[in-house]
Amino acid sequence: MPREIITLQVGQCGNQIGTEFWSKLCSEHGISKSGSFNEVAESSPGIDRKDVFFYQADDNHYIPRALLLDLEPRVINGIKNSDHKRLFNNENMYVSQQGGGAGNNWASGYSQGASVENEIMDMIDREADGSDSLEGFVMCHSIAGGTGSGLGSYILEALGDRYGKKLVQTYSIFPNQNEISDVVVQPYNSLLTLKRLILNSDSVVVLDNTALNRIAEEKMKIDNPTFSHTNSLVSSVMAASTTTLRYPGYMNNDLVSLVAESFFNIASMKDFYF
């Protein structure tokens, strides 16, 4: 029986890389942008486990087990008007009614998280209730902005309180150290988020924008990498790291074994969390 995983896309960065991630998963599993099986996949069924990240609706469409969360509407509205508009469940999209965002401020995102906790947790509970054997959560976010860091931190704490026995893995985007940010509180956002990652997550996949840009320049031969290039790299990492969860093999078939192997490899390093 597949162990389901719920993906939480928080903030502008989290929703952008999350959408790229789902695009890759659809391509690998033969699912169209509207959620239906394409003709090639129907004629040659495989042994993949789509149910880990997707569920099948009454009309046989596959829908991602994903929640799209943001405090300003621009990115989510873009997804609603994109080629993937029929892929996601609209009931799993949350945009703050104020719509002003977090202003790149961790404290603003965290305090707004406290005010909308009931709405977001109701969405998570509904998605969890629809799972047969929920294994855990995956969060995509940035630690440098306001929503991904502040709201993301609050959600991590809330998950720890309500789903303390479930695993939480994050794909956390770290800021580019080679660029001077116009967000003066970026170091504070990052530091405050790091504390929550240490205390409330079981596994943190660090995705450093400095390294991502260097890879795009040196390996992909792109002179001026854009966010779309680095987002594509991040989604490739996410898809590759979840391959054993989606295709049965002889090892690392669930999130528990993946996290356990990570801890085994770093067990000799004291206070090594990432």
Side-chain angles (χ1 to χ4, degrees), residues 33-34 64 91 93 108 121 180 182 186 209 256 264 271:
K33 294 179 180 179
S34 62
E91 294 182 355
M93 296 182 181
S108 175
M121 293 309 296
I180 299 176
D182 56 355
Q186 179 174 284
N209 258 332
V256 173
F264 176 79
D271 295 334

Side-chain angles (χ1 to χ4, degrees), residues 167-185:
L167 290 175
V168 177
Q169 182 181 46
T170 73
Y171 289 87
S172 304
I173 310 299
F174 281 55
N176 191 337
Q177 301 301 315
N178 293 334
E179 295 180 355
I180 299 176
S181 174
D182 56 355
V183 181
V184 296
V185 293

Side-chain angles (χ1 to χ4, degrees), residues 64-234:
R65 300 181 188 274
L67 273 69
L68 286 64
L69 312 171
D70 207 345
L71 296 177
E72 60 97 12
R74 182 173 59 86
V75 175
I76 290 184
N77 284 345
I79 295 172
K80 288 181 177 180
N81 294 318
S82 69
D83 294 338
H84 296 90
K85 59 186 176 182
R86 294 183 57 197
L87 179 64
F88 298 101
N89 181 359
N90 286 330
E91 294 182 355
N92 285 355
M93 296 182 181
Y94 176 81
V95 177
S96 173
Q97 293 181 353
Q98 298 177 358
N104 291 316
N105 187 295
W106 183 92
S108 175
Y110 189 86
S111 61
Q112 290 188 60
S115 65
V116 300
E117 176 185 4
N118 290 336
E119 298 172 67
I120 293 178
M121 293 309 296
D122 284 346
M123 294 169 61
I124 295 175
D125 290 342
R126 184 180 66 245
E127 199 67 25
D129 290 342
S131 305
D132 294 328
S133 180
L134 178 65
E135 183 171 27
F137 302 88
V138 167
M139 177 182 287
C140 314
H141 70 132
S142 167
I143 72 166
T147 303
S149 63
L151 178 61
S153 294
Y154 194 90
I155 292 174
L156 285 174
E157 292 178 346
L159 288 176
D161 290 338
R162 188 167 302 189
Y163 296 97
K165 295 184 179 180
K166 303 299 181 183
L167 290 175
V168 177
Q169 182 181 46
T170 73
Y171 289 87
S172 304
I173 310 299
F174 281 55
N176 191 337
Q177 301 301 315
N178 293 334
E179 295 180 355
I180 299 176
S181 174
D182 56 355
V183 181
V184 296
V185 293
Q186 179 174 284
Y188 300 97
N189 295 339
S190 302
L191 188 62
L192 290 164
T193 309
L194 283 172
K195 179 181 178 181
R196 274 72 186 180
L197 290 173
I198 291 171
L199 295 177
N200 299 288
S201 66
D202 299 289
S203 173
V204 179
V205 179
V206 175
L207 297 156
D208 182 16
N209 258 332
T210 308
L212 293 171
N213 277 277
R214 186 172 65 249
I215 292 171
E217 291 174 355
E218 297 178 1
K219 302 299 182 182
M220 301 172 65
K221 306 302 180 184
I222 300 172
D223 293 332
N224 296 303
T226 63
F227 283 126
S228 62
H229 295 126
T230 54
N231 289 344
S232 179
L233 282 173
V234 172

Side-chain angles (χ1 to χ4, degrees), residues 43-60:
S43 62
S44 55
I47 56 173
D48 58 340
R49 297 189 296 190
K50 292 180 283 293
D51 292 344
V52 173
F53 284 96
F54 295 88
Y55 67 89
Q56 210 164 2
D58 294 336
D59 59 358
N60 293 327

Side-chain angles (χ1 to χ4, degrees), residues 253-269:
N253 287 324
D254 52 33
L255 195 58
V256 173
S257 59
L258 279 177
V259 173
E261 183 177 4
S262 300
F263 278 116
F264 176 79
N265 290 335
I266 64 175
S268 60
M269 303 181 188

